[in-house]
Amino acid sequence: MTDSHQTRHPEAPKGRPTPKRSVAQSQRRSVANTTMSRKEAAKRQREERRAALERQRQALASGDERYLPARDKGPVRRFARDFVDSRFHIAEWFLPMAVVILVLSMVQVAQLQNIALLLWLVVIVMIVLDSVVTGVRLKKTLAERFPDENRRGAVAYALMRTLQMRRLRLPKPQVKRGERP
């Protein structure tokens, strides 16, 4: 059975024969005649939503393109994810470094506080430089590989992904570091 939410090319065959009019009318009547209380309808809707969220959660873990959220779908977004996941980025270590710098700045030693301040500056400059280089390279590569596709927002999507630790990224990385997408 095909997923009703998935788009289908208008000229593609539908994959099943057209039902006879009498069959179609009886199916419509049976659907319309099913009496359901508000409670039962809400319960069914909750179950459907729970099943859809479970499918989406599994897709985020496995990378199954069919059930991914709209922001993660498509070949351009997949390439952007793989582009980011195949390289090391300074930004993915921002949170652990921020904790270390914060602890250093709390210590009541003037030299350690100065070092913490300098580390903040170094970390921010490195993240900005890494993000600029990654953004330019990704934009150029996307223009070469996907000239006819909608690339809008793909670079920002990829840069936001660099800020997440690799282990915590969703959809889970599908490429290893060093692999070229």
Side-chain angles (χ1 to χ4, degrees):
M1 176 140 193
T2 60
D3 189 26
S4 61
H5 299 294
Q6 201 168 11
T7 57
R8 180 178 65 84
H9 191 275
E11 294 177 10
K14 62 186 173 194
R16 58 181 166 74
T18 304
K20 291 185 178 175
R21 181 180 295 244
S22 60
V23 173
Q25 285 175 341
S26 68
Q27 284 177 342
R28 270 199 312 264
R29 280 192 198 106
S30 69
V31 169
N33 289 341
T34 55
T35 56
M36 212 182 320
S37 69
R38 194 172 53 84
K39 213 176 197 180
E40 290 171 344
K43 184 178 178 183
R44 192 179 78 193
Q45 194 174 20
R46 261 195 317 273
E47 290 297 323
E48 288 172 358
R49 192 174 334 125
R50 189 176 293 132
L53 287 173
E54 178 61 24
R55 273 197 316 266
Q56 196 175 71
R57 189 188 63 72
Q58 287 175 348
L60 287 170
S62 68
D64 186 2
E65 192 81 22
R66 293 174 297 173
Y67 302 114
L68 285 176
R71 68 158 201 263
D72 297 318
K73 279 187 178 178
V76 174
R77 297 294 171 109
R78 175 180 280 282
F79 180 80
R81 283 194 305 271
D82 292 346
F83 187 87
V84 166
D85 294 340
S86 68
R87 292 165 175 77
F88 172 79
H89 297 279
I90 303 294
E92 66 187 87
W93 293 100
F94 173 72
L95 285 176
M97 286 188 291
V99 169
V100 169
I101 293 170
L102 190 63
V103 168
L104 283 176
S105 67
M106 297 288 224
V107 176
Q108 295 297 322
V109 178
Q111 281 187 320
L112 284 180
Q113 289 179 339
N114 289 339
I115 289 171
L117 196 59
L118 185 63
L119 279 175
W120 269 123
L121 180 65
V122 169
V123 166
I124 289 172
V125 167
M126 287 174 55
I127 288 173
V128 167
L129 287 175
D130 186 41
S131 295
V132 167
V133 169
T134 301
V136 168
R137 289 175 67 197
L138 179 60
K139 195 170 193 175
K140 180 182 172 193
T141 308
L142 285 174
E144 290 172 1
R145 288 209 182 182
F146 303 99
D148 300 331
E149 296 276 337
N150 181 9
R151 300 181 302 269
R152 186 174 179 181
V155 174
Y157 172 76
L159 291 178
M160 288 305 293
R161 192 168 173 88
T162 63
L163 288 171
Q164 300 167 347
M165 294 180 74
R166 183 178 172 90
R167 206 175 290 162
L168 302 176
R169 291 177 186 164
L170 288 177
K172 293 285 184 197
Q174 302 294 311
V175 295
K176 291 185 170 101
R177 283 210 171 108
E179 256 182 59
R180 292 292 175 218

